[in-house]
Amino acid sequence: EKTESNLLEEYPATPVVDGARVLLSCAMVLTYPMPLLSLREIVTNLLFDHPDDCVADDTVDRMLKTKRPLVYNRTSHIALTAFLLIFSLVLALLAGSLGNILNLNGCISGSLIGFLLPAVFSFQHRGVTSLNTTLLIIGSFVGVIGGYFALLAMMVS
């Protein structure tokens, strides 16, 4: 027998189970803004020039060796938040299963954490070496191939 992806679907429809479903839905709705907030902050620091001089803004400017042309204001804040929210909602609606999303997330974040970020940090601190070039090539290959097959699995299901 096949198990449902939502374990609460396995239980009979009683008031207690319905209450648990409502509480689980509330927890998901209230938890969702947290990763969106950090993503918006990262995109903001990379794309926008802040009117106030903050340490993060100066650090990003030194890393990019340039000033960003866009100024961050209330309109850009609302537009960026709405875009990220709608984009993630569309992706969630198109995904058939949480397993496929976790598969894609594992492929991308695993290759980033295991291969690509260490190679980039090594490039920055030690310059080009054979080790960090190998890590970058292997990580790119693993990420692209894994992401391809994860997206293929999403389209099939």
Side-chain angles (χ1 to χ4, degrees), residues 33-48 50 52 54-57 60 68 72 77 80-81 84:
M34 286 188 261
L36 189 69
L37 174 71
S38 60
L39 176 64
R40 184 185 66 207
E41 187 67 24
I42 290 168
V43 171
T44 300
N45 284 336
L46 287 175
L47 295 180
F48 294 99
H50 296 272
D52 56 339
C54 64
V55 174
D57 196 39
V60 172
R68 289 152 304 206
Y72 192 68
H77 173 84
L80 180 62
T81 304
L84 292 174

Side-chain angles (χ1 to χ4, degrees), residues 114-152:
F115 295 104
L116 298 176
L117 289 178
V120 169
F121 294 149
S122 181
F123 277 140
Q124 185 177 11
H125 291 291
R126 296 185 182 151
V128 177
T129 65
S130 61
L131 177 62
N132 56 26
T133 305
T134 304
L135 277 176
L136 190 66
I137 292 169
I138 291 173
S140 299
F141 180 75
V142 167
V144 167
I145 297 298
Y148 170 76
F149 283 111
L151 285 172
L152 190 64

